[in-house]
Amino acid sequence: MNQDVQRSKVPEVTLIFWIIKVLATTLGETGGDAVSMSMNLGYAVGSAIFIGIFAAAVVAQIVARKFHPFLYWFVVVATTTAGTTMADFADRSLGIGYPGGASLLFALLLASLAVWYWSAGSISVNTVTTPKTETFYWVAILFSQTLGTALGDWMADTNGLGYEGGAVVFGAGLALIAAAYFFTSLSRTLLFWGAFILTRPLGATLGDLLDKPLANGGLAFSRYYASVILAILIIACVALLPQRAGTHPDKPNATSA
């Protein structure tokens, strides 16, 4: 049966979406650091663990027949924790530093979006209704989370701004994107991906602010304690704040998000 509007398995992009997204990215930073650093497993082992969790979670998400808020946000958290350890591995273990790691991850994100666009004709989240487009969506999400982590660490660690300063810079960037959304006709798809990338370094700097030592400008909270608190906040938000699956017209519009 042909319908004018189809339901997606990803949520509508609302203020609630962005609130939970920032909490999830902050949890990704504290949780990823807890495994790779506090447990002394290292970035490679930590990345392998979180990539495995992400792969299992994204398969469950793709085979699900409808939008499940808890499952969706579990996959997002899996991408943020994997992104934390993967970015640290690229920046530090590969020896290419923050500029090299960020450049590599930016190229991978652009490549994933280009392949998605070439295959589907759009990279709008409004078109995520089939297993094929959902696979492209989650690959792009993983690379955007990893890039965001690298950008956050680069800004906080090497530019003299510290974690608070980094959070202010990325918060200002998000404010500019919000202004562009409300007051210009710029592509909604472009603005969505810009905001999605920038919320990750914002979460990364907030996570570092919570768990880094006082001498390094952090608040020295336990990574485990901070992760548990953030997880509780995310669960409460998903349970209490209304979310519904996004919709899109049968013919996707590449300029809408």
Side-chain angles (χ1 to χ4, degrees):
M1 179 178 179
N2 190 24
Q3 298 178 340
D4 291 333
V5 174
Q6 296 178 354
R7 286 284 173 184
S8 174
K9 288 195 297 175
V10 300
E12 286 186 320
V13 181
T14 63
L15 178 60
I16 294 171
F17 174 91
W18 293 116
I19 291 172
I20 302 175
K21 170 62 164 60
V22 172
L23 289 172
T25 57
T26 309
L27 173 58
E29 187 70 18
T30 59
D33 286 348
V35 170
S36 63
M37 300 172 70
S38 296
M39 294 183 182
N40 295 316
L41 295 179
Y43 303 126
V45 174
S47 296
I49 292 172
F50 288 124
I51 289 172
I53 294 173
F54 163 72
V58 81
V59 168
Q61 166 71 16
I62 290 173
V63 301
R65 299 195 176 194
K66 62 181 182 178
F67 170 61
H68 298 284
F70 281 104
L71 177 57
Y72 174 85
W73 287 109
F74 180 78
V75 183
V76 171
V77 170
T79 65
T80 66
T81 49
T84 295
T85 54
M86 289 168 60
D88 289 339
F89 179 78
D91 294 339
R92 300 164 187 173
S93 297
L94 294 181
I96 57 179
Y98 293 123
S103 298
L104 172 63
L105 294 165
F106 183 64
L108 290 172
L109 174 60
L110 288 182
S112 68
L113 291 173
V115 172
W116 180 2
Y117 186 84
W118 175 80
S119 177
S122 172
I123 56 172
S124 170
V125 296
N126 289 344
T127 65
V128 182
T129 58
T130 67
K132 178 181 177 181
T133 56
E134 197 170 359
T135 299
F136 286 128
Y137 172 82
W138 286 114
V139 170
I141 292 292
L142 179 62
F143 283 137
S144 71
Q145 302 278 43
T146 309
L147 172 61
T149 301
L151 290 175
D153 290 343
W154 188 7
M155 179 66 68
D157 291 347
T158 63
N159 289 297
L161 293 176
Y163 303 119
E164 301 94 331
V168 169
V169 168
F170 292 118
L174 288 169
L176 289 175
I177 290 177
Y181 178 86
F182 287 110
F183 301 113
T184 75
S185 59
L186 286 176
S187 165
R188 276 19 189 178
T189 296
L190 177 63
L191 293 175
F192 170 83
W193 286 109
F196 203 96
I197 292 170
L198 285 183
T199 52
R200 183 62 186 94
L202 175 61
T205 52
L206 291 175
D208 285 336
L209 175 64
L210 290 174
D211 66 26
K212 292 304 188 228
L214 294 173
N216 293 340
L219 298 176
F221 286 4
S222 163
R223 294 186 180 106
Y224 303 117
Y225 179 76
S227 297
V228 169
I229 296 298
L230 289 164
I232 291 173
L233 288 173
I234 292 169
I235 292 170
C237 287
V238 175
L240 299 176
L241 300 178
Q243 294 183 83
R244 62 181 181 180
T247 59
H248 79 88
D250 282 340
K251 294 182 179 180
N253 183 349
T255 63
S256 63

